[in-house]
């Protein structure tokens, strides 16, 4: 896609690199993240209006530490180096960097020294977030110190004339009180951008491109009802109307009424061409007697492909398949030391395009989830639908622990429905990243009236998170927990105990399987 103005973020392996990109995009400025190995030639042809060097886990004097071609400072493009990025700036201009005795981590107060465009509108003494183990001991040539903290006498440096800036702290992290303002100053007064990367423009541009690419061919969409596939379907419908065929597969593992609600939403608000396939029986037959979580995922993934392929065959004139791939799935990551192991395999519609000989359309390859949500709202998808918590592809199969039966799915559906409705009616749904109930594979003893019961246990889970990679359990009021527990035990037959999951991720995961 043609983006016009763009910022380049060079990634040196910081855990915050994607946050930098989100801060830039929040200002309606397009940006891309590329690994630090992106060459000078590639940078030139990318033609950025500004460059941000991210932080990173290494020290600039470590053996094998990623370096930078000093030529980038001669391109006449403003540069902002953050943390490791600032050490690189210092080194490039003959400064000196040394390891600190103690690693500085956490909040500090920023004292401004003199006037700086980067700190315009930032009051003296604001809180910033530090996370580094090195500091500058000799100033780079032609730079001045523009801010300090108690422990970092050189906390920000700048060469105003060449528009090169370095920050020891992380403006992209929300704990940096005026971080947004600092990023904003870099983008507008310093890089001179206009900020025209917004949902409206995205829709106009991408529908035009899709139209051009697809022509009169048919496009198939696997409409799960999740945010990404839903927004993709509506966008494609804007672009090519009747030539979009949506297939919604009900795998029998959705929440209470969910499949019907999804189809109804699209019927009520949009004139989408949706084929609603109820494949519950096939999925549940194939899952019978299976307790292992990874086996469940595999069966569900394969069955989905079988059902989808069977339906899609009816449209043998289709040439494309839409996928809601997001930018975080596409960003080439900077390798970090150590091995990564598969904790859970996540099922999506991978494998389908090759098998069916379809070409892919991925309209959100360059977008973050919050941007897809904003586009969904702009396209008129109801806000309640857009703000829903994430829901895993294998659905309730990984929330009915152990073997799955229709009866156990229904117990879980009722409990989950009560729990989520309470969260909504207490006005806390948007404070939570993800909330759901889990049916445990054990029974416990209870007493109801004068009788002993021996029934199921429901665990409820609610977490806060920004991306699902790490998560903390949500602090409900005790009164809220009491209401939910009572309602579930009173109303759901077969449940006599409710527990609340107070584990964070890591070491636990969000889902139980
Ligand atoms: P975990 O349980 O790994 O979950 O901490 C992180 C996020 O991923 C979702 N999740 C899945 N999504 N297929 C999916 O599409 C899966 O198999 C799957 N397993 C977990 C989970 O709901 C959470 O949002």
């Amino acid at each position: 896609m043609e983006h016009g103005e763009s910022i380049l973020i060079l990634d040196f392996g910081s855990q915050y690199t994607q946050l930098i990109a989100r801060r830039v995009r929040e200002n309606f400025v397009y940006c891309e993240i590329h690994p630090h190995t992106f060459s000078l030639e590639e940078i030139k042809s990318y033609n950025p209006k500004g460059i941000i060097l991210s932080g990173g886990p290494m020290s600039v004097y470590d053996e094998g530490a990623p370096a930078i071609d000093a030529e980038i400072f001669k391109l006449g493009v403003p540069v902002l180096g953050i943390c490791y990025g600032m050490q690189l700036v210092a080194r490039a201009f003959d400064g000196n960097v040394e390891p600190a005795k103690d690693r500085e981590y956490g909040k500090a107060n920023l004292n401004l020294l003199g006037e700086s465009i980067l700190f315009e509108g930032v009051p003296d003494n604001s809180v910033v977030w530090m996370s580094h183990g090195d500091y500058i001991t000799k100033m780079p040539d032609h730079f001045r110190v523009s801010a300090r903290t108690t422990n970092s006498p050189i906390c920000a440096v700048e060469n105003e004339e060449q528009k090169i800036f370095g920050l020891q702290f992380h403006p992209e992290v929300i704990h940096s009180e005026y971080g947004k303002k600092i990023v904003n100053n870099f983008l507008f007064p310093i890089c001179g951008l206009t900020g025209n990367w917004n949902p409206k423009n995205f829709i106009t541009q991408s529908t035009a491109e899709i139209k051009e690419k697809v022509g009169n061919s048919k496009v198939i969409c696997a409409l799960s009802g999740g945010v990404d596939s839903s927004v993709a379907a509506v966008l494609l419908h804007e672009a090519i109307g009747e030539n979009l065929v949506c297939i919604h597969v009900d795998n029998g593992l959705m929440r209470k009424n969910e499949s019907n609600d999804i189809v109804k939403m699209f019927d009520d608000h949009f004139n989408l061409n949706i084929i609603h396939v109820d494949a519950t029986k096939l999925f549940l037959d194939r899952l019978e007697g299976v307790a292992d979580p990874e086996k469940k995922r595999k069966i569900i993934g394969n069955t989905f492909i079988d059902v989808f392929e069977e339906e899609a065959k009816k449209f043998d004139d289709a040439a494309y398949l839409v996928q809601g791939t997001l930018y975080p799935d596409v960003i080439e990551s900077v390798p970090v030391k150590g091995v990564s192991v598969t904790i859970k395999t996540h099922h999506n519609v991978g494998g389908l395009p090759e098998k069916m000989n379809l070409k892919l359309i991925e309209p959100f390859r360059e977008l973050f989830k919050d941007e897809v949500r904003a586009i969904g709202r702009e396209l008129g998808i109801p806000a309640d639908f857009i703000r829903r918590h994430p829901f895993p592809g294998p659905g309730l199969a990984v929330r009915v622990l152990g073997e799955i039966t229709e009866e156990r799915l229904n117990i879980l559906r009722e409990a989950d429905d009560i729990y989520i409705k309470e969260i909504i009616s207490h006005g806390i749904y948007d404070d939570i990243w993800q909330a759901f109930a889990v049916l445990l594979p054990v029974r416990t003893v209870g007493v109801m009236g004068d009788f002993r019961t021996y029934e199921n246990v429901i665990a409820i889970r609610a977490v806060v998170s920004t991306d699902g990679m790490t998560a903390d359990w949500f602090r409900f009021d005790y009164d809220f927990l009491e209401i939910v527990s009572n309602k579930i035990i009173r109303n759901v037959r077969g449940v006599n105990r409710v527990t609340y999951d107070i584990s964070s991720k890591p070491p636990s995961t969000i889902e139980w399987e």
Side-chain angles (χ1 to χ4, degrees), residues 82-371:
I82 297 172
C83 206
Y84 186 87
M86 169 176 171
Q87 321 296 358
L88 289 171
V89 169
R91 289 279 283 246
F93 291 87
D94 285 329
N96 200 23
V97 177
E98 285 181 29
K101 272 201 259 10
D102 298 309
R103 199 182 154 78
E104 193 180 2
Y105 184 82
K107 292 179 180 173
N109 288 76
L110 190 72
N111 297 126
L112 304 178
L113 306 169
E115 296 273 300
S116 163
I117 323 182
L118 193 63
F119 297 130
E120 218 168 80
V122 178
D124 198 23
N125 239 351
S126 74
V127 173
V128 293
W129 185 257
M130 306 287 269
S131 165
H132 72 104
D134 303 322
Y135 67 111
I136 296 177
T137 49
K138 176 185 165 280
M139 276 297 283
D141 297 344
H142 316 296
F143 277 74
R144 76 170 190 93
V145 185
S146 52
R148 53 171 294 159
T149 66
T150 313
N151 294 322
S152 277
I154 304 179
C155 190
V157 298
E158 65 178 50
N159 175 330
E160 194 182 339
E161 201 185 298
Q162 283 196 56
K163 299 189 177 173
I164 302 173
F165 302 81
L167 300 174
Q168 187 66 78
F169 62 91
H170 289 274
E172 69 275 26
V173 171
I174 44 165
H175 309 298
S176 290
E177 226 180 334
Y178 285 84
K180 281 189 178 185
K181 181 68 187 144
I182 295 168
V183 172
N184 183 283
N185 286 343
F186 180 68
L187 299 175
F188 300 111
I190 296 172
C191 296
L193 298 166
T194 53
N196 58 5
W197 165 257
N198 60 32
K200 226 191 193 111
N201 290 347
F202 176 90
I203 293 168
T204 314
Q205 209 180 329
S206 88
T207 47
E209 283 175 18
I210 292 167
K211 240 186 241 166
E212 159 103 27
K213 177 170 174 178
V214 169
N216 284 325
S217 312
K218 275 211 162 65
V219 179
I220 295 189
C221 173
L223 186 62
S224 67
V227 171
D228 310 334
S229 69
S230 301
V231 180
V234 176
L235 181 77
L236 262 288
H237 186 251
E238 279 283 297
I240 59 165
E242 282 298 289
N243 277 340
L244 175 73
V245 180
C246 297
I247 301 177
H248 174 72
V249 176
D250 181 355
N251 57 12
L253 303 164
M254 313 278 275
R255 289 164 291 196
K256 192 173 173 182
N257 302 331
E258 192 171 14
S259 209
N260 286 329
D261 287 350
I262 289 166
V263 174
K264 185 169 175 328
M265 192 288 285
F266 286 109
D267 273 347
D268 288 352
H269 291 85
F270 304 95
N271 202 11
L272 291 194
N273 181 6
I274 304 184
I275 294 153
H276 186 178
V277 191
D278 185 358
T280 304
K281 190 169 177 328
L282 180 65
F283 277 87
L284 294 191
D285 283 352
R286 291 195 186 171
L287 285 166
E288 200 181 322
V290 179
D292 178 75
E294 285 302 291
K295 276 197 190 128
K296 289 181 186 175
R297 281 191 171 81
K298 203 165 238 146
I299 292 171
I300 294 165
N302 291 339
T303 308
F304 176 81
I305 292 182
D306 292 347
V307 173
F308 190 84
E309 208 183 359
E310 195 55 39
E311 283 307 314
K313 261 194 213 147
K314 298 173 189 162
F315 303 91
D316 54 5
D317 51 343
Y320 292 91
L321 179 78
V322 193
Q323 274 190 351
T325 315
L326 299 182
Y327 193 41
D329 308 324
V330 176
I331 298 171
E332 197 185 330
S333 59
V334 170
V336 267
K337 286 183 196 158
V339 270
S340 82
V341 291
T342 303
I343 310 288
K344 298 175 190 185
T345 55
H346 281 198
H347 138 75
N348 57 25
V349 286
L352 265 181
E354 301 83 30
K355 210 167 166 196
M356 295 171 54
N357 204 15
L358 293 172
K359 284 175 273 183
L360 269 186
I361 297 184
E362 297 176 304
F364 306 142
R365 268 181 81 79
E366 293 166 342
L367 303 188
F368 289 105
K369 186 111 188 167
D370 43 346
E371 294 168 329

Side-chain angles (χ1 to χ4, degrees), residues 297 344-347 390 392-394 433-434 468 505 509-511:
R297 281 191 171 81
K344 298 175 190 185
T345 55
H346 281 198
H347 138 75
W433 157 269
Q434 201 172 7
K505 172 184 180 175
T509 54
I510 296 177
E511 303 287 346

